[in-house]
Amino acid sequence: MHSPNTQQYLETLRTLSERLVAVQKPIRILDAIKWSPEIEQRFRASGGRELPAVDAGFYQRQPLSFDPAALDRSLAELDRDIARQLGRGDALGRILRATVDQYQLVVQLLRHRGQKEFGDFSRQLYGSAGAHIRGDRNTLRQLGERLCEIFSLPAADHLNRPHQNDIDGEQAVRMLQSRMNDYFGPGKVNVKISDDIVSDASAGGDSIKVNRRAHFSELDIQVLEVHEGWVHIGTTLNGREQPWATWLSVGSPRITTIQEGMAVLMETLTFSSFPQRARRVSDRVVAVDLAEQGANFCEVYRHFLDKGISEHDSYRVTQRVFRGGQVAGDSGSVFTKDIAYVKGFVENVNFIRSAIVSGVPEIIPMLFVGKVTLDDLPLLYERYLEGVVAGPKYVPPMFRDLNGLYVWFGFSSGLSLMNIPRIQKHFGKLFEQLPATAPIYTGQTDAELD
């Protein structure tokens, strides 16, 4: 065990960090549980009445990219070495060990693909839709349902501006590559076309994959720029810039909530999001809860169809929840990661507001220092002041100059004192007097409106 901040301590910290980066490298959770496009085609051909032919045998035919037993031994050995070489009381060592523990749970999660235990390990890693929001009495399911209501109001359709999905995958790659070059500098991020991802796009390391079959709108490109680029890739590259705490470049499930929540928050702060996008994010919480309560794949799919969601989008939100678990329902064996988007949005907003009210706004940019949790940030900020942790290099503009962010969240904190239902009732009476009219799209010319 070494004294903190001595050269020997720092070199030991880096060595252990690099071991963690290396040992987790073959773990690819989403690759291990993904479904092929043919499964959707067969399901929709059945009219959505036959459960997808996905069971434990299906996953066994898709071998993992690592030997679970060998990887588990390597993680256990690393955990012992961290405790022995840094000391059980070392603060950074505790974060390292918590991350190792998460990867050990991931090994068990993937060992049990298609089995009941998969859902149990998923809840240990990502939580449950029935859990309460930190510091509040409401559950995530309650919040998700309320948000679905808001983003399904007629006003959402009024704001559905004419953004056509007329950008194909190849064009999206070119557009995103240009934007990544502007933000990070040329050569830092690689945007490429892909035939092997289910989602429209995904980020990993220093690259973004774009689905060749997907089509995008201008708004979709803006979302991908800030969600995948500024947040997911930005925190990865900031983690790689660390001189000693290099494990901050890799993300175990313990950081999923803050990462996905910050990505959604960034969509909001840059006015990149839109009601249909926000509705999809909120639907995911409801889908997880329905599946946790025992609904099968067809029942969850039908729930969203009945809410007016398209067949494709209803399948997509349902598939995201059941991948890795059991499609027959009853067991509640589902992938609960998708609660992270709403949960993380709320927790990040509450963290930022609390930092401002508590008089420590300078801690807020540390949200981008790497792959972190909110509980990690005070300690990492202390180590930043000591020179052990490097400050984030790639930071969105509103987090570099905090004046606007301070005012935005300051007003938000002040408005929380008001009786919102009473205010809405007051203005609702005014709006009832409005005549029915076609929506007016700001930014269009009179000729376009005609």
Side-chain angles (χ1 to χ4, degrees):
M1 184 174 69
H2 311 298
S3 300
N5 299 8
T6 64
Q7 189 64 27
Q8 191 174 12
Y9 169 86
L10 294 175
E11 291 175 359
T12 299
L13 177 66
R14 180 181 176 88
T15 298
L16 293 168
S17 296
E18 288 294 293
R19 281 179 60 187
L20 177 56
V21 171
V23 77
Q24 63 79 45
K25 193 170 185 179
I27 299 176
R28 293 290 181 267
I29 298 175
L30 299 185
D31 281 349
I33 60 175
K34 67 182 179 183
W35 297 5
S36 67
E38 290 74 26
I39 294 176
E40 177 182 1
Q41 294 167 8
R42 288 194 294 270
F43 177 77
R44 292 177 62 180
S46 76
R49 290 184 290 271
E50 296 179 8
L51 292 174
V54 179
D55 55 14
F58 168 85
Y59 293 109
Q60 288 172 4
R61 292 189 292 274
Q62 300 184 55
L64 296 172
S65 57
F66 58 88
D67 179 341
L71 183 54
D72 200 46
R73 287 193 298 271
S74 296
L75 288 165
E77 181 182 0
L78 177 56
D79 182 70
R80 290 192 297 270
D81 287 347
I82 294 169
R84 179 173 56 85
Q85 296 179 31
L86 296 182
R88 294 184 180 276
D90 182 76
L92 291 179
R94 285 198 297 270
I95 297 177
L96 258 176
R97 294 186 68 197
T99 305
V100 171
D101 178 68
Q102 288 275 292
Y103 282 121
Q104 289 176 308
L105 287 174
V106 168
V107 172
Q108 296 306 314
L109 174 86
L110 298 181
R111 267 180 161 169
H112 292 88
R113 294 174 297 168
Q115 302 174 42
K116 180 182 183 303
E117 292 83 358
F118 179 91
D120 299 330
F121 286 113
S122 179
R123 280 181 281 277
Q124 289 185 57
L125 289 165
Y126 301 104
S128 167
H132 290 271
I133 299 167
R134 188 189 304 204
D136 195 83
R137 291 178 297 178
N138 293 306
T139 66
L140 283 167
R141 167 64 190 258
Q142 290 172 311
L143 178 59
E145 287 181 328
R146 177 58 180 149
L147 291 173
C148 286
E149 291 174 7
I150 293 171
F151 296 127
S152 301
L153 292 171
D157 288 332
H158 290 182
L159 293 173
N160 185 21
R161 293 177 294 169
H163 283 276
Q164 302 298 319
N165 289 346
D166 55 1
I167 301 172
D168 64 24
E170 296 282 1
Q171 187 179 357
V173 167
R174 293 192 294 272
M175 295 173 68
L176 280 173
Q177 186 66 72
S178 175
R179 296 181 184 213
M180 293 300 99
N181 291 347
D182 289 343
Y183 186 81
F184 294 103
K188 292 290 186 179
V189 176
N190 180 31
V191 185
K192 54 190 175 183
I193 204 75
S194 174
D195 294 309
D196 63 354
I197 60 172
V198 176
S199 58
D200 290 340
S202 67
D206 55 6
S207 68
I208 298 177
K209 291 182 178 181
V210 174
N211 192 324
R212 186 185 301 277
R213 299 177 296 275
H215 285 78
F216 305 87
S217 68
E218 279 280 355
L219 283 177
D220 292 328
I221 299 298
Q222 291 177 35
V223 167
L224 291 172
E225 176 187 4
V226 300
H227 185 118
E228 307 292 356
W230 292 14
V231 176
H232 292 329
I233 290 181
T235 51
T236 295
L237 297 184
N238 285 335
R240 291 179 181 176
E241 293 283 333
Q242 293 301 319
W244 315 109
T246 57
W247 87 86
L248 292 175
S249 64
V250 298
S252 70
R254 70 189 293 271
I255 60 87
T256 300
T257 296
I258 184 174
Q259 277 282 299
E260 300 298 358
M262 180 54 67
V264 175
L265 176 57
M266 192 58 57
E267 296 175 24
T268 307
L269 291 175
T270 57
F271 295 97
S272 301
S273 196
F274 47 98
Q276 290 78 8
R277 161 70 178 168
R279 168 69 191 270
R280 289 199 295 269
V281 169
S282 305
D283 282 341
R284 294 171 186 176
V285 178
V286 176
V288 169
D289 188 72
L290 289 170
E292 283 190 284
Q293 298 304 318
N296 67 27
F297 189 98
C298 295
E299 290 167 339
V300 175
Y301 171 78
R302 182 63 55 184
H303 170 87
F304 291 107
L305 275 186
D306 292 344
K307 294 290 185 180
I309 308 300
S310 69
E311 289 185 7
H312 174 73
D313 287 347
S314 294
Y315 176 86
R316 179 64 59 84
V317 69
T318 306
Q319 180 265 338
R320 290 177 64 98
V321 171
F322 279 94
R323 53 186 170 171
Q326 296 182 316
V327 297
D330 296 328
S331 68
S333 178
V334 295
F335 192 45
T336 59
K337 171 184 176 287
D338 273 355
I339 66 172
Y341 298 83
V342 170
K343 179 182 179 182
F345 178 91
V346 173
E347 292 192 350
N348 278 312
V349 167
N350 289 339
F351 178 87
I352 293 171
R353 289 169 58 178
S354 298
I356 288 171
V357 172
S358 299
V360 288
E362 58 272 11
I363 198 175
I364 295 174
M366 296 297 286
L367 287 161
F368 295 89
V369 76
K371 308 296 186 183
V372 298
T373 72
L374 295 178
D375 291 335
D376 295 340
L377 289 184
L379 171 65
L380 293 174
Y381 183 65
E382 288 181 25
R383 296 298 182 266
Y384 159 71
L385 295 176
E386 296 169 359
V388 177
V389 171
K393 178 178 179 180
Y394 302 107
V395 182
M398 70 286 292
F399 285 85
R400 285 198 300 269
D401 181 348
L402 293 172
N403 282 288
L405 206 66
Y406 187 104
V407 172
W408 179 282
F409 284 98
F411 272 121
S412 172
S413 297
L415 291 173
S416 66
L417 299 175
M418 296 184 175
N419 188 321
I420 301 301
R422 182 177 297 176
I423 293 170
Q424 289 176 336
K425 184 177 181 181
H426 168 79
F427 284 106
K429 292 179 180 178
L430 293 178
F431 300 148
E432 287 175 358
Q433 303 171 25
L434 288 173
T437 182
I440 297 175
Y441 300 116
T442 59
Q444 292 179 306
T445 66
D446 291 340
E448 288 173 322
L449 292 174
D450 289 342

